[in-house]
Amino acid sequence: MFRITRFSGFFSAAMFVIVLVILSPSFQSEAIRSSHRFSFRKAPPFRNAAECGSISGETTTVCDPSLVHVAITLDVDYLRGSIAAVHSILHNSLCPENIFFHFLVSDTNLQTLVESTFPNLKFNVYYFDPNIVAHLISSSVRQALEQPLNYARNYLVDLLESCVERVIYLDSDLVVVDDVAKLWSASLDSRAIGAPEYCHANFTKYFTAGFWSEPRLSGTFAQRRACYFNTGVMVMDLVKWRKEGYTKRIERWMEIQKSDRIYELGSLPPFLLVFAGHVAPIEHRWNQHGLGGDNVKGSCRDLHPGPVSLLHWSGSGKPWIRLSSKRPCPLDSLWAPFDLYAHSSS
Ligand SMILES: *[C@@H]1O[C@H](CO)[C@@H](O)[C@H](O)[C@H]1NC(C)=O
């Protein structure tokens, strides 16, 4: 459906452009989203520190047990964010060559762009078929939350190579300002996922009154101390996940949502339904979330107290949008150094 054309010869060595050509007229809405040119500067080279041990560049396979695995989506609308996230991870890692990236895509092949921006990066690109979730997605308050690719995190066990036993899933609107290897080595005990938990957040509001008044549904939380967590930063044990069949359990709640409308948001609530109270707690420094604030109201957010290893612009506002419109929030200056965006035209 899409063809990617590379015009690298027309530009300086450090720049390239891809043009996404829409061949199928039946993809009008996608055409509007995708008919942009992207150009990213080449990221600075990265190398392992001496103490990292050697991981032989050419011969490494995805199954090498010394790799750190990171999964992230490449959505056309969030591409600038994804590229900045990868850049931040490499920049702040002691052993960047030990990181293997798993890029999840659904509407186009962005492999060429990744290769040109990050030469020597270890990565694979995985196609996530939107049809897998199309029939499970209900209309949501915020349209952006309903991009099928938002649900790809539920299918990592099916998408990634079976030798990958643990993966860090990261949203596209964040930067890592610490060594991601520390997050990688977090203890999950016997849990399938680890994430920072927020037990003081009002958990009630993520589900409808109808959900809470129906014990058959809300009873699922009866025997657990369910706390909110954000699905934008998760350490996942894929072996455990596969064994417990979590993909299907999440899908079952999505099916209930189709008929009963038990929540308003998109991909987050089914994760809360399955995992809240069963999450291995990870230090809050690994998800300083909510920095997106609100674009419509123009509100900015401040950091939560405490140390910071990862800054997450969740919420409707995104730093690249505000920087482009020359109305940045103060904390957007912490995202900007990782931005590799060079040029765009429609
Ligand atoms: C939590 O949220 C619910 C639903 O929005 C609301 O009715 C309730 O008052 C809130 N509780 C607290 C303690 O703020």
Side-chain angles (χ1 to χ4, degrees), residues 97-329:
E97 293 176 89
N98 294 13
I99 305 172
F100 195 102
F101 287 89
H102 303 264
F103 293 115
L104 314 168
V105 306
S106 67
D107 59 359
T108 184
N109 181 355
L110 297 165
Q111 179 153 350
T112 314
L113 183 146
V114 174
E115 280 165 356
S116 310
T117 309
F118 302 106
N120 307 319
L121 191 72
K122 294 183 179 71
F123 73 96
N124 277 342
V125 174
Y126 306 81
Y127 176 73
F128 176 68
D129 184 352
N131 291 320
I132 291 171
V133 289
H135 68 287
L136 290 170
I137 299 181
S138 58
S139 62
S140 156
V141 173
R142 272 171 55 199
Q143 210 59 38
L145 293 172
E146 289 301 298
Q147 293 299 338
L149 208 46
N150 282 336
Y151 294 84
R153 72 195 86 189
N154 185 27
Y155 299 90
L156 290 173
V157 280
D158 303 327
L159 293 167
L160 271 47
E161 293 80 358
S162 57
C163 63
V164 179
E165 299 187 343
R166 176 181 278 218
V167 67
I168 297 172
Y169 177 83
L170 297 175
D171 270 350
S172 299
D173 50 358
L174 53 79
V175 294
V176 177
V177 294
D178 195 352
D179 193 335
V180 77
K182 296 180 196 166
L183 177 58
W184 174 254
S185 58
S187 165
L188 298 189
D189 293 317
S190 60
R191 309 301 198 185
I193 68 169
E197 288 186 295
Y198 305 91
C199 294
H200 297 295
N202 186 348
F203 195 78
T204 311
K205 67 176 184 183
Y206 293 98
F207 302 94
T208 60
F211 170 84
W212 291 113
S213 65
E214 176 51 79
R216 212 168 31 90
L217 299 171
S218 52
T220 190
F221 290 125
Q223 302 302 320
R224 32 178 168 148
R225 185 169 184 238
C227 298
Y228 171 78
F229 67 95
N230 180 285
T231 52
V233 178
M234 294 186 286
V235 182
M236 306 165 80
D237 180 332
L238 298 179
V239 176
K240 173 104 178 157
W241 183 293
R242 193 175 282 116
K243 186 159 151 268
E244 303 290 335
Y246 285 122
T247 300
K248 273 274 170 282
R249 294 203 210 178
I250 288 170
E251 283 185 340
R252 275 205 282 279
W253 283 111
M254 292 171 73
E255 279 158 16
I256 292 170
Q257 163 77 350
K258 283 286 280 185
S259 52
D260 292 8
R261 193 145 189 100
I262 54 176
Y263 50 79
E264 305 292 350
L265 295 173
S267 61
L268 170 70
F271 268 79
L272 294 180
L273 284 159
V274 171
F275 291 111
H278 300 314
V279 168
I282 283 176
E283 282 181 279
H284 289 109
R285 64 191 302 152
W286 287 104
N287 196 347
Q288 285 267 351
H289 65 288
L291 304 182
D294 190 314
N295 265 359
V296 180
K297 293 187 203 137
S299 59
C300 294
R301 290 288 197 81
D302 211 345
L303 286 175
H304 309 267
V308 180
S309 293
L310 184 151
L311 296 151
H312 186 184
W313 278 261
S314 55
S316 61
K318 298 301 167 204
W320 54 91
I321 307 281
R322 289 194 290 250
L323 287 160
S324 287
S325 59
K326 305 244 181 317
R327 287 162 58 196
C329 285

